[in-house]
Amino acid sequence: MATESKQTREEMPKAYNPAAVEGPTYRRWEESGAFTPPEPPPAGKLADGQTGKEPYTIVMPPPNLTGELHLGHALGDSIEDLLVRWRRMQGRPALWLPGVDHAAIAVHTLIERQLSEEGLSRRDIGREAFLERTWEFVRKNRARIAEQHKRLGDSADWSRELFTMDPGPALAVRTIFVRLFEKGLVYRGNRLINWCPGCQSALSDLEVDHVDEDSFLWHVKYPLIDMAGKDTGEFITIATTRPETIMADTAIAVHPGDGRYTHLRGAKARVPVINREIPIIEDEAIDPEFGSGALKVTPGHDQTDFEIGERHGLPIVNVMQPDGTLNEEAGPYAGVDRFEARKRIVADLKAQGLLEREEPYRHSIGVCDRCGSVVEPLMSEQWFVAMSKEYEKNGATRSISGDALKAVSEGWTGPSGKTTQIKMVPERHTKVYQNWLENIRDWCISRQLWWGHRIPVWYCEDEHMTVAVEDPTKCATCGSTEISQDEDTLDTWFSSALWPFSTLGWPEETQDLRYFYPTSVMETGYDIIFLWVTRMIMMGIFATDEAPFEWVYFHGTVRDDRGQRMSKSKGNGVDPEVLIDRYGSDALRFKLITAGGTGNDQRLEEPRIEAARNFANKLWNASRFVLSQLEPGETVPALDPSQQAMLPTEDRWILSRLERLTGEADRLMERFELGEAGREIEEFVWDELCDWYLEIAKVRQRSDDEVSPLPVLVHVLDACLRLLHPFMPYVTEEIWSGSGDLRGHLPDPGSELVMTAAYPAPADAWRDEAAEREIGLVLDIVRAVRNIRRERGIDAGTWIDAYVVADGAMAKHGPAIEQLARVRPLRIVANRAAAPSESVATAVLAGALVVLPLAGLFDFEAERAKLQKQRAEEQAQVERLETQLRNDKFTSGAPAQVVADVRERLEAARGRIDGLEARLAELQ
RNA sequence: GGGCGAUUAGCUCAGCUGGCAGAGCGCUUCCUUCACACGGAAGAGGUCACUGGUUCAAGUCCAGUAUCGCCCACCA
């Protein structure tokens, strides 16, 4: 037996302590330069781009600068870091691109909240002061956020922070805006947009949430009037959910085929309260089934009505001001808030006898996703991107949404000649993406907020427009120097959409851009597929004529332990730092990655994080044992598959199993089945390596005359640490190159850090079916003995006699079986007659019979009952398998391997039945 | 109104290209044996929501039903 007291053992505490390891390990990575991003090769080398080590670029979502780091980020960060580490270990120069910009939404909201606590609004303090406050916040919190991300294993520092929070010049953003403008794809127009009275800004369709609200459907009678404008005494009833907008009505519409209203064709009605005369018109959009079949048309406050209005040339009346109060068009209600006005007008209509009835009604209303205010459709002058408009480029007719659709559906061929078909994981999101693009409307990109990139448009006193990348000094039309920039800023998602290439220096033809773009993987949550992914693809193709990435990996949502979505308002958000303090970031990462199916939502289950921590500890202790067997400075010899035949069976077994695992892990990870890969690695380490191979190796370590298991042990542990490193970076690094220093015992480590060591590549050199079968039987024998012990109530610690009737090959496994099953003396005999048959408990296996003399503990009836039960089960199985094999369609149709497996199982079952029969005969 | 998920052990969930139903926690019994009690050993526990279909073979593929959840949508 090797000497016990070893340096490594003293350095490695008995339990893995993440808190003591993570900080120093992170610093070691930093100091080693391993985080330094790969340098693009010099210009001349780039033309082919395929040097056998194509770059691998991961796109990541921005750090949340509010400091409220949550588990969604933890999951995304974990996956991204895993992918980067894995690819770099494979020798591919992976780069992780950081993003920052759209955290602006969060910062902006936070500052506004602070202001409102002080009783101020954004407009009270002015743009300058507002921006100063946001900057102060960012400066103060940035370091803290960075620290939090480090603890998650987030390696954002790998990348150059080329993108900046500075909403100033932003070359890429302005360039795109100008180019879109030049193609007529960005335009300013007065249109019905979503207006948030809370934020006092325009919103895109995507920033409006729909929620159900219990309200009423008010049936209002509009007096009919004759040609002279006098009331006829008759009424037409309309149904509305928005009585406060009747002052903006410019028509009443009915369905052309609606017989109830044919007599009113060409008639007019009078709007209550303000007594405006409006026509009764016919339009196909009206549903005769709804309400009375007549609709009040309010083009200034409803999208459908706006479209009806356009068809019939109706005037547009706007009764509302940006803050949600009614304007002078509303007559008696001018200056009243919209909700108050609704109450008052309903009361007034009732008083005038014009309210036919009030019907309780549940319908959906739009609210601002940031502040929760009810959104108003309002006429407003805003900037838009034309999503479907056709334009010419390089002789081809294109459109923004059409190109984006093409990139996913059939593939997009860029100037490089390479065709990229963007693939999504899970695949189901592809259809959602396509469906959205097929029905897309123009994108409102201007915001009346002060955070973000200002629209690069200047106006002179004569309202001439100057659109430019660089700040102009005079009007492009009249030369006036009295120009001012548009007050509005761009939708933060407009900037974010441009981010992968603005990060890489676009529009300059930088080496970074040429080498790392298009990127490989965009990793993000499925909740922002429309906000971000679609826009990145659209803008990416427009800007560079290349699809921006090849894969989109969507992770799921992390819910709380009751399955509720985490949110600030519910107050159920969980700070990952608390969990990291408790279990370590490796444990949190491992749980997040392995807990669910690819892209599925998962719950935060603390017991599961604890289990992951326990796994880290298991790995730690197994390593501690292996290292304790090595002398300081002792290097084990390298393993060569050509020596396979010289190795003991169990060595060939574990190496064969390891190779199987390596192949599986590689296959799964290439397909982004990261969770399954992690689970399989864990299973191998815990079950096969720790529970079996290590125990067998101990037996060999204690006897001097055998081949040492140490080279194999070290080799397998090394491979496991490498395989596991992307999943559990800290603990693996600590064992490999830290206090464990496994590296120091390797014949050819090839790297200072496991982080930069080579990832195990799949191969078949060590595969050995015979060894797997042979050791499989050894394990079965040990399990059988343990099982009988438990059934007979024999303590696990008590040594008992045992016989194993088996092939002579089992003899060499005697010592292992003895130790693992705690049987001594163990006699391995060639035939049944050589073992006792009186007062013995038996276990019948396919290739062996286990016989345990029990003397006083023997229970005749229990033994017979057990054997009979097993015989019945085996017979049922034999019948099933025989039926299957009698079926010609099976034997001819199924793959040969499947048929062979069935035959083998049938033979094994028959063998066991023979053994059971023989044993039952003895018991007669 | 469309679309998409989910339905598997007591609970929370895996199960990839169809080929003897799995994990974690919990439960039962035993073990502090010199890597690990953040551990070890042996167990109990499933008509894979339901109904049809395809197939030699279905938890897995197809169609439909039910329940739950999510996304999208200009029916007032």
Side-chain angles (χ1 to χ4, degrees):
Chain A
M1 181 163 174
T3 36
E4 53 262 26
S5 169
K6 292 284 157 54
Q7 212 179 344
T8 46
R9 273 188 83 176
E10 284 157 17
E11 282 177 13
M12 292 177 76
K14 198 168 165 181
Y16 175 59
N17 177 8
V21 165
E22 291 177 4
T25 301
Y26 194 89
R27 277 192 291 281
R28 279 204 298 133
W29 285 332
E30 274 182 325
E31 282 160 17
S32 71
F35 283 153
T36 309
E39 280 299 319
K45 290 250 173 186
L46 281 178
D48 57 347
Q50 304 290 316
T51 53
K53 291 190 172 189
E54 73 270 35
Y56 195 82
T57 328
I58 314 285
V59 171
M60 71 175 271
N64 181 338
L65 282 171
T66 60
E68 292 177 34
L69 196 64
H70 58 72
L71 280 165
H73 289 116
L75 175 55
D77 289 353
S78 297
I79 291 165
E80 289 145 16
D81 189 59
L82 181 152
L83 291 172
V84 171
R85 286 174 189 271
W86 170 55
R87 284 308 198 189
R88 293 188 112 203
M89 288 175 80
Q90 289 185 324
R92 303 168 75 174
L95 175 70
W96 192 357
L97 295 182
V100 178
D101 177 74
H102 65 247
I105 299 174
V107 178
H108 192 163
T109 309
L110 207 88
I111 300 300
E112 291 209 318
R113 204 189 299 157
Q114 286 178 4
L115 283 173
S116 86
E117 279 166 16
E118 298 165 30
L120 293 169
S121 83
R122 172 169 92 224
R123 282 158 221 283
D124 290 334
I125 66 169
R127 186 188 285 269
E128 294 288 305
F130 183 83
L131 293 186
E132 186 42 49
R133 283 181 83 132
T134 53
W135 272 113
E136 194 188 321
F137 177 87
V138 169
R139 278 193 297 268
K140 214 157 54 188
N141 288 280
R142 206 166 193 170
R144 199 177 100 229
I145 313 308
E147 192 55 39
Q148 283 184 333
H149 277 252
K150 275 184 189 178
R151 301 201 56 199
L152 277 175
D154 176 338
S155 337
D157 291 20
W158 293 16
S159 318
R160 284 149 283 193
E161 254 187 54
L162 298 173
F163 200 69
T164 166
M165 281 294 292
D166 190 339
L171 188 62
V173 172
R174 285 191 176 189
T175 305
I176 281 291
F177 186 95
V178 170
R179 289 194 191 175
L180 283 166
F181 182 83
E182 284 166 353
K183 291 279 181 195
L185 298 173
V186 132
Y187 64 92
R188 192 162 74 142
N190 197 30
R191 299 183 28 178
L192 205 57
I193 47 90
N194 303 297
W195 180 264
C196 172
C199 299
Q200 301 224 16
S201 175
L203 302 176
S204 70
D205 295 343
L206 287 176
E207 289 160 295
V208 179
D209 287 338
H210 294 275
V211 295
D212 277 350
E213 189 195 53
D214 284 313
S215 177
F216 295 94
L217 196 55
W218 286 279
H219 295 253
V220 182
K221 299 198 289 189
Y222 283 41
L224 292 168
I225 55 176
D226 59 24
M227 291 307 174
K230 294 214 307 234
D231 285 10
T232 63
E234 287 179 88
F235 298 92
I236 182 166
T237 302
I238 57 89
T240 182
T241 54
R242 304 212 52 200
E244 69 275 19
T245 63
I246 68 172
M247 287 78 71
D249 289 354
T250 53
I252 284 175
V254 297
H255 193 271
D258 193 334
R260 289 172 295 178
Y261 297 113
T262 39
H263 67 289
L264 294 178
R265 196 167 288 166
K268 288 190 168 184
R270 182 166 61 78
V271 179
V273 184
I274 53 163
N275 299 325
R276 179 188 298 128
E277 281 183 26
I278 55 170
I280 292 170
I281 58 169
E282 295 181 329
D283 196 281
E284 296 280 348
I286 312 304
D287 176 7
E289 302 296 315
F290 189 90
S292 62
L295 169 74
K296 77 183 194 66
V297 184
T298 320
H301 295 278
D302 185 278
Q303 185 64 36
T304 311
D305 292 8
F306 180 82
E307 285 161 20
I308 294 173
E310 281 200 316
R311 284 197 285 272
H312 295 85
L314 297 175
I316 295 167
V317 177
N318 176 21
V319 295
M320 208 173 291
Q321 305 183 71
D323 64 356
T325 60
L326 302 193
N327 63 20
E328 61 280 3
E329 292 279 355
Y333 307 104
V336 180
D337 178 76
R338 53 191 168 146
F339 298 116
E340 177 60 22
R342 179 183 296 180
K343 282 184 211 153
R344 280 161 64 172
I345 199 164
V346 167
D348 292 349
L349 288 170
K350 199 180 279 179
Q352 293 171 37
L354 294 175
L355 188 65
E356 189 177 288
R357 62 194 171 96
E358 226 177 36
E359 179 187 344
Y361 189 66
R362 187 177 182 79
H363 68 137
S364 135
I365 53 166
V367 297
C368 171
D369 71 354
R370 197 167 352 159
C371 75
S373 307
V374 176
V375 167
E376 289 292 337
L378 276 190
M379 287 304 292
S380 181
E381 183 147 76
Q382 303 289 343
W383 286 93
F384 298 86
V385 178
M387 306 307 292
S388 314
K389 184 179 174 184
E390 289 188 342
Y391 68 97
E392 300 290 324
K393 186 165 181 185
N394 303 333
T397 303
R398 301 165 40 169
S399 75
I400 292 176
S401 62
D403 291 355
L405 214 42
K406 198 176 170 199
V408 168
S409 305
E410 51 196 272
W412 180 263
T413 308
S416 65
K418 194 187 163 198
T419 299
T420 305
Q421 182 166 8
I422 300 173
K423 292 170 284 286
M424 305 202 178
V425 178
E427 209 187 340
R428 61 174 180 268
H429 293 298
T430 311
K431 219 183 341 178
V432 180
Y433 170 94
Q434 289 169 331
N435 191 31
W436 188 77
L437 278 177
E438 281 160 5
N439 299 300
I440 196 163
R441 300 197 303 171
D442 285 358
W443 174 17
C444 175
I445 51 168
S446 48
R447 295 290 177 274
Q448 290 66 51
L449 305 172
W450 293 346
W451 185 267
H453 297 117
R454 256 170 102 174
I455 290 174
V457 177
W458 287 259
Y459 308 90
C460 68
E461 287 160 323
D462 294 330
E463 291 293 310
H464 300 138
M465 213 185 268
T466 305
V467 181
V469 173
E470 299 292 338
D471 288 12
T473 53
K474 58 183 184 359
C475 174
T477 308
C478 66
S480 164
T481 53
E482 293 296 309
I483 54 170
S484 58
Q485 189 173 4
D486 196 313
E487 282 292 309
D488 292 355
T489 53
L490 288 161
D491 180 1
T492 188
W493 294 104
F494 183 91
S495 305
S496 297
L498 309 174
W499 152 70
F501 35 96
S502 56
T503 307
L504 292 168
W506 188 90
E508 306 280 318
E509 271 289 307
T510 63
Q511 284 299 98
D512 279 343
L513 185 73
R514 296 174 62 186
Y515 190 56
F516 291 113
Y517 188 89
T519 59
S520 316
V521 183
M522 159 85 185
E523 201 285 339
T524 189
Y526 63 78
D527 50 334
I528 52 175
I529 176 167
F530 303 133
L531 286 169
W532 203 24
V533 179
T534 51
R535 268 95 178 251
M536 279 175 76
I537 295 173
M538 293 187 290
M539 291 296 114
I541 294 175
F542 178 80
T544 65
D545 293 329
E546 294 276 6
F549 32 71
E550 191 177 350
W551 292 93
V552 187
Y553 180 102
F554 290 106
H555 64 253
T557 310
V558 184
R559 297 159 183 277
D560 72 6
D561 49 12
R562 294 205 317 266
Q564 303 264 328
R565 225 184 184 146
M566 290 190 191
S567 76
K568 265 178 242 159
S569 55
K570 281 185 201 147
N572 63 345
V574 174
D575 184 351
E577 277 211 85
V578 174
L579 297 168
I580 290 173
D581 283 343
R582 212 171 289 162
Y583 304 104
S585 59
D586 282 341
L588 179 60
R589 277 177 82 142
F590 195 76
K591 190 273 170 189
L592 289 171
I593 288 169
T594 58
T598 306
N600 288 355
D601 289 355
Q602 62 175 284
R603 286 186 197 206
L604 164 83
E605 287 177 279
E606 220 169 310
R608 196 116 185 211
I609 304 173
E610 192 178 343
R613 190 269 320 262
N614 294 351
F615 174 51
N617 186 60
K618 186 76 181 175
L619 183 70
W620 179 261
N621 275 294
S623 306
R624 214 160 55 92
F625 169 75
V626 173
L627 292 161
S628 73
Q629 303 299 307
L630 295 157
E631 299 289 342
E634 175 187 355
T635 307
V636 299
L639 289 180
D640 187 327
S642 67
Q643 310 162 332
Q644 188 181 33
M646 289 151 67
L647 291 172
T649 324
E650 61 271 18
D651 288 1
R652 301 205 308 268
W653 169 75
I654 195 73
L655 291 166
S656 180
R657 300 295 299 169
L658 173 67
E659 206 141 79
R660 206 182 274 271
L661 170 74
T662 306
E664 270 301 287
D666 182 74
R667 209 194 93 243
L668 290 166
M669 288 170 79
E670 286 290 350
R671 306 177 41 155
F672 294 98
E673 307 259 358
L674 309 178
E676 189 60 19
R679 286 188 291 267
E680 292 201 7
I681 298 169
E682 177 188 16
E683 196 184 325
F684 175 84
V685 170
W686 204 312
D687 294 349
E688 306 200 65
L689 178 59
C690 293
D691 289 347
W692 288 111
Y693 184 74
L694 218 53
E695 296 302 326
I696 295 173
K698 278 181 193 172
V699 178
R700 271 169 52 197
Q701 269 301 85
R702 292 193 189 115
S703 62
D704 292 328
D705 53 358
E706 292 216 42
V707 185
S708 167
L710 279 175
V712 172
L713 216 37
V714 168
H715 174 83
V716 175
L717 180 61
D718 171 51
C720 287
L721 291 170
R722 290 171 194 243
L723 285 168
L724 212 44
H725 180 256
F727 297 86
M728 294 189 136
Y730 291 102
V731 66
T732 47
E733 192 67 82
E734 183 69 6
I735 296 167
W736 203 82
S737 71
S739 63
D741 193 26
L742 181 77
R743 179 186 175 281
H745 302 287
L746 293 173
D748 181 21
S751 167
E752 288 298 315
L753 299 166
V754 70
M755 177 179 167
T756 45
Y759 205 72
D764 275 330
W766 289 103
R767 288 294 284 277
D768 189 335
E769 302 285 340
E772 291 197 31
R773 224 187 315 264
E774 190 174 320
I775 298 301
L777 183 57
V778 172
L779 306 193
D780 281 345
I781 290 168
V782 172
R783 285 195 197 101
V785 175
R786 288 168 172 175
N787 182 301
I788 293 171
R789 277 174 175 282
R790 140 91 193 192
E791 280 175 0
R792 295 287 164 266
I794 302 165
D795 278 0
T798 313
W799 291 93
I800 54 173
D801 280 15
Y803 293 81
V804 170
V805 184
D807 186 69
M810 272 304 114
K812 62 176 176 294
H813 302 300
I817 296 170
E818 272 191 354
Q819 191 62 36
L820 298 187
R822 280 184 96 75
V823 287
R824 194 183 291 152
L826 167 70
R827 297 177 198 83
I828 294 174
V829 296
N831 61 68
R832 180 69 187 88
S837 57
E838 291 293 318
S839 298
V840 295
T842 57
V844 181
L845 306 171
L849 178 70
V850 176
V851 179
L852 299 182
L854 290 176
L857 288 169
F858 180 66
D859 180 335
F860 185 89
E861 281 308 321
E863 175 76 2
R864 194 162 66 173
K866 173 187 146 186
L867 294 168
Q868 281 170 340
K869 184 176 167 222
Q870 193 190 343
R871 182 176 60 178
E873 286 165 5
E874 301 284 6
Q875 276 168 345
Q877 188 183 349
V878 165
E879 263 173 55
R880 221 179 54 234
L881 297 174
E882 280 176 341
T883 310
Q884 204 172 357
L885 285 169
R886 267 198 305 272
N887 185 339
D888 289 344
K889 286 179 181 168
F890 172 69
T891 47
S892 60
Q897 187 56 50
V898 173
V899 178
D901 284 350
V902 169
R903 290 226 162 83
E904 200 176 310
R905 269 189 286 149
L906 178 62
E907 281 317 302
R910 279 179 178 154
R912 284 192 297 268
I913 288 177
D914 289 347
L916 289 163
E917 298 283 5
R919 176 58 184 149
L920 281 165
E922 286 174 359
L923 287 175
Q924 287 308 312

mmCIF file with all atom_site columns, all heavy atoms in Angstrom, chain A residues 747-758:
data_model
loop_
_atom_site.group_PDB
_atom_site.id
_atom_site.type_symbol
_atom_site.label_atom_id
_atom_site.label_alt_id
_atom_site.label_comp_id
_atom_site.label_asym_id
_atom_site.label_entity_id
_atom_site.label_seq_id
_atom_site.pdbx_PDB_ins_code
_atom_site.Cartn_x
_atom_site.Cartn_y
_atom_site.Cartn_z
_atom_site.occupancy
_atom_site.B_iso_or_equiv
_atom_site.pdbx_formal_charge
_atom_site.auth_seq_id
_atom_site.auth_comp_id
_atom_site.auth_asym_id
_atom_site.auth_atom_id
_atom_site.pdbx_PDB_model_num
ATOM 1  N N   . PRO A 1 747 ? 1.784   12.631 -17.438 1.00 0.00 ? 747 PRO A N   1
ATOM 2  C CA  . PRO A 1 747 ? 2.987   12.544 -18.269 1.00 0.00 ? 747 PRO A CA  1
ATOM 3  C C   . PRO A 1 747 ? 3.084   13.713 -19.242 1.00 0.00 ? 747 PRO A C   1
ATOM 4  O O   . PRO A 1 747 ? 4.166   14.185 -19.524 1.00 0.00 ? 747 PRO A O   1
ATOM 5  C CB  . PRO A 1 747 ? 2.790   11.213 -19.017 1.00 0.00 ? 747 PRO A CB  1
ATOM 6  C CG  . PRO A 1 747 ? 1.339   10.894 -18.911 1.00 0.00 ? 747 PRO A CG  1
ATOM 7  C CD  . PRO A 1 747 ? 0.853   11.524 -17.649 1.00 0.00 ? 747 PRO A CD  1
ATOM 8  N N   . ASP A 1 748 ? 1.940   14.167 -19.757 1.00 0.00 ? 748 ASP A N   1
ATOM 9  C CA  . ASP A 1 748 ? 1.983   15.244 -20.743 1.00 0.00 ? 748 ASP A CA  1
ATOM 10 C C   . ASP A 1 748 ? 0.730   16.102 -20.624 1.00 0.00 ? 748 ASP A C   1
ATOM 11 O O   . ASP A 1 748 ? -0.213  15.963 -21.396 1.00 0.00 ? 748 ASP A O   1
ATOM 12 C CB  . ASP A 1 748 ? 2.076   14.640 -22.157 1.00 0.00 ? 748 ASP A CB  1
ATOM 13 C CG  . ASP A 1 748 ? 2.137   15.724 -23.217 1.00 0.00 ? 748 ASP A CG  1
ATOM 14 O OD1 . ASP A 1 748 ? 2.506   16.878 -22.869 1.00 0.00 ? 748 ASP A OD1 1
ATOM 15 O OD2 . ASP A 1 748 ? 1.801   15.424 -24.372 1.00 0.00 ? 748 ASP A OD2 1
ATOM 16 N N   . PRO A 1 749 ? 0.704   16.989 -19.624 1.00 0.00 ? 749 PRO A N   1
ATOM 17 C CA  . PRO A 1 749 ? -0.533  17.755 -19.386 1.00 0.00 ? 749 PRO A CA  1
ATOM 18 C C   . PRO A 1 749 ? -0.887  18.684 -20.536 1.00 0.00 ? 749 PRO A C   1
ATOM 19 O O   . PRO A 1 749 ? -2.066  18.907 -20.804 1.00 0.00 ? 749 PRO A O   1
ATOM 20 C CB  . PRO A 1 749 ? -0.231  18.549 -18.118 1.00 0.00 ? 749 PRO A CB  1
ATOM 21 C CG  . PRO A 1 749 ? 1.238   18.542 -17.966 1.00 0.00 ? 749 PRO A CG  1
ATOM 22 C CD  . PRO A 1 749 ? 1.758   17.310 -18.652 1.00 0.00 ? 749 PRO A CD  1
ATOM 23 N N   . GLY A 1 750 ? 0.110   19.235 -21.207 1.00 0.00 ? 750 GLY A N   1
ATOM 24 C CA  . GLY A 1 750 ? -0.170  20.059 -22.373 1.00 0.00 ? 750 GLY A CA  1
ATOM 25 C C   . GLY A 1 750 ? -0.715  21.433 -22.086 1.00 0.00 ? 750 GLY A C   1
ATOM 26 O O   . GLY A 1 750 ? -1.053  22.170 -22.995 1.00 0.00 ? 750 GLY A O   1
ATOM 27 N N   . SER A 1 751 ? -0.844  21.789 -20.821 1.00 0.00 ? 751 SER A N   1
ATOM 28 C CA  . SER A 1 751 ? -1.401  23.094 -20.497 1.00 0.00 ? 751 SER A CA  1
ATOM 29 C C   . SER A 1 751 ? -1.160  23.400 -19.030 1.00 0.00 ? 751 SER A C   1
ATOM 30 O O   . SER A 1 751 ? -0.975  22.503 -18.218 1.00 0.00 ? 751 SER A O   1
ATOM 31 C CB  . SER A 1 751 ? -2.901  23.118 -20.787 1.00 0.00 ? 751 SER A CB  1
ATOM 32 O OG  . SER A 1 751 ? -3.495  24.241 -20.203 1.00 0.00 ? 751 SER A OG  1
ATOM 33 N N   . GLU A 1 752 ? -1.123  24.690 -18.730 1.00 0.00 ? 752 GLU A N   1
ATOM 34 C CA  . GLU A 1 752 ? -0.984  25.097 -17.333 1.00 0.00 ? 752 GLU A CA  1
ATOM 35 C C   . GLU A 1 752 ? -2.300  24.938 -16.583 1.00 0.00 ? 752 GLU A C   1
ATOM 36 O O   . GLU A 1 752 ? -2.338  24.738 -15.382 1.00 0.00 ? 752 GLU A O   1
ATOM 37 C CB  . GLU A 1 752 ? -0.544  26.568 -17.250 1.00 0.00 ? 752 GLU A CB  1
ATOM 38 C CG  . GLU A 1 752 ? 0.886   26.813 -17.661 1.00 0.00 ? 752 GLU A CG  1
ATOM 39 C CD  . GLU A 1 752 ? 1.873   26.084 -16.763 1.00 0.00 ? 752 GLU A CD  1
ATOM 40 O OE1 . GLU A 1 752 ? 1.702   26.137 -15.530 1.00 0.00 ? 752 GLU A OE1 1
ATOM 41 O OE2 . GLU A 1 752 ? 2.793   25.428 -17.303 1.00 0.00 ? 752 GLU A OE2 1
ATOM 42 N N   . LEU A 1 753 ? -3.387  25.110 -17.317 1.00 0.00 ? 753 LEU A N   1
ATOM 43 C CA  . LEU A 1 753 ? -4.716  25.123 -16.712 1.00 0.00 ? 753 LEU A CA  1
ATOM 44 C C   . LEU A 1 753 ? -5.609  24.113 -17.420 1.00 0.00 ? 753 LEU A C   1
ATOM 45 O O   . LEU A 1 753 ? -5.465  23.890 -18.626 1.00 0.00 ? 753 LEU A O   1
ATOM 46 C CB  . LEU A 1 753 ? -5.350  26.512 -16.879 1.00 0.00 ? 753 LEU A CB  1
ATOM 47 C CG  . LEU A 1 753 ? -4.634  27.699 -16.250 1.00 0.00 ? 753 LEU A CG  1
ATOM 48 C CD1 . LEU A 1 753 ? -5.197  28.995 -16.811 1.00 0.00 ? 753 LEU A CD1 1
ATOM 49 C CD2 . LEU A 1 753 ? -4.780  27.652 -14.731 1.00 0.00 ? 753 LEU A CD2 1
ATOM 50 N N   . VAL A 1 754 ? -6.548  23.569 -16.681 1.00 0.00 ? 754 VAL A N   1
ATOM 51 C CA  . VAL A 1 754 ? -7.486  22.667 -17.345 1.00 0.00 ? 754 VAL A CA  1
ATOM 52 C C   . VAL A 1 754 ? -8.368  23.482 -18.280 1.00 0.00 ? 754 VAL A C   1
ATOM 53 O O   . VAL A 1 754 ? -8.851  22.998 -19.304 1.00 0.00 ? 754 VAL A O   1
ATOM 54 C CB  . VAL A 1 754 ? -8.314  21.863 -16.325 1.00 0.00 ? 754 VAL A CB  1
ATOM 55 C CG1 . VAL A 1 754 ? -9.319  22.723 -15.571 1.00 0.00 ? 754 VAL A CG1 1
ATOM 56 C CG2 . VAL A 1 754 ? -9.057  20.718 -17.018 1.00 0.00 ? 754 VAL A CG2 1
ATOM 57 N N   . MET A 1 755 ? -8.546  24.746 -17.937 1.00 0.00 ? 755 MET A N   1
ATOM 58 C CA  . MET A 1 755 ? -9.342  25.634 -18.778 1.00 0.00 ? 755 MET A CA  1
ATOM 59 C C   . MET A 1 755 ? -8.809  25.709 -20.203 1.00 0.00 ? 755 MET A C   1
ATOM 60 O O   . MET A 1 755 ? -9.588  25.887 -21.141 1.00 0.00 ? 755 MET A O   1
ATOM 61 C CB  . MET A 1 755 ? -9.322  27.026 -18.162 1.00 0.00 ? 755 MET A CB  1
ATOM 62 C CG  . MET A 1 755 ? -10.038 28.080 -18.943 1.00 0.00 ? 755 MET A CG  1
ATOM 63 S SD  . MET A 1 755 ? -9.914  29.624 -18.038 1.00 0.00 ? 755 MET A SD  1
ATOM 64 C CE  . MET A 1 755 ? -10.447 30.761 -19.289 1.00 0.00 ? 755 MET A CE  1
ATOM 65 N N   . THR A 1 756 ? -7.510  25.568 -20.364 1.00 0.00 ? 756 THR A N   1
ATOM 66 C CA  . THR A 1 756 ? -6.938  25.645 -21.708 1.00 0.00 ? 756 THR A CA  1
ATOM 67 C C   . THR A 1 756 ? -6.382  24.293 -22.166 1.00 0.00 ? 756 THR A C   1
ATOM 68 O O   . THR A 1 756 ? -5.702  24.199 -23.181 1.00 0.00 ? 756 THR A O   1
ATOM 69 C CB  . THR A 1 756 ? -5.821  26.702 -21.755 1.00 0.00 ? 756 THR A CB  1
ATOM 70 O OG1 . THR A 1 756 ? -4.979  26.529 -20.609 1.00 0.00 ? 756 THR A OG1 1
ATOM 71 C CG2 . THR A 1 756 ? -6.393  28.099 -21.737 1.00 0.00 ? 756 THR A CG2 1
ATOM 72 N N   . ALA A 1 757 ? -6.697  23.241 -21.390 1.00 0.00 ? 757 ALA A N   1
ATOM 73 C CA  . ALA A 1 757 ? -6.258  21.904 -21.793 1.00 0.00 ? 757 ALA A CA  1
ATOM 74 C C   . ALA A 1 757 ? -7.167  21.386 -22.901 1.00 0.00 ? 757 ALA A C   1
ATOM 75 O O   . ALA A 1 757 ? -8.221  21.942 -23.148 1.00 0.00 ? 757 ALA A O   1
ATOM 76 C CB  . ALA A 1 757 ? -6.296  20.964 -20.590 1.00 0.00 ? 757 ALA A CB  1
ATOM 77 N N   . ALA A 1 758 ? -6.735  20.303 -23.543 1.00 0.00 ? 758 ALA A N   1
ATOM 78 C CA  . ALA A 1 758 ? -7.512  19.779 -24.668 1.00 0.00 ? 758 ALA A CA  1
ATOM 79 C C   . ALA A 1 758 ? -8.740  19.024 -24.177 1.00 0.00 ? 758 ALA A C   1
ATOM 80 O O   . ALA A 1 758 ? -8.665  18.249 -23.222 1.00 0.00 ? 758 ALA A O   1
ATOM 81 C CB  . ALA A 1 758 ? -6.651  18.868 -25.519 1.00 0.00 ? 758 ALA A CB  1
#
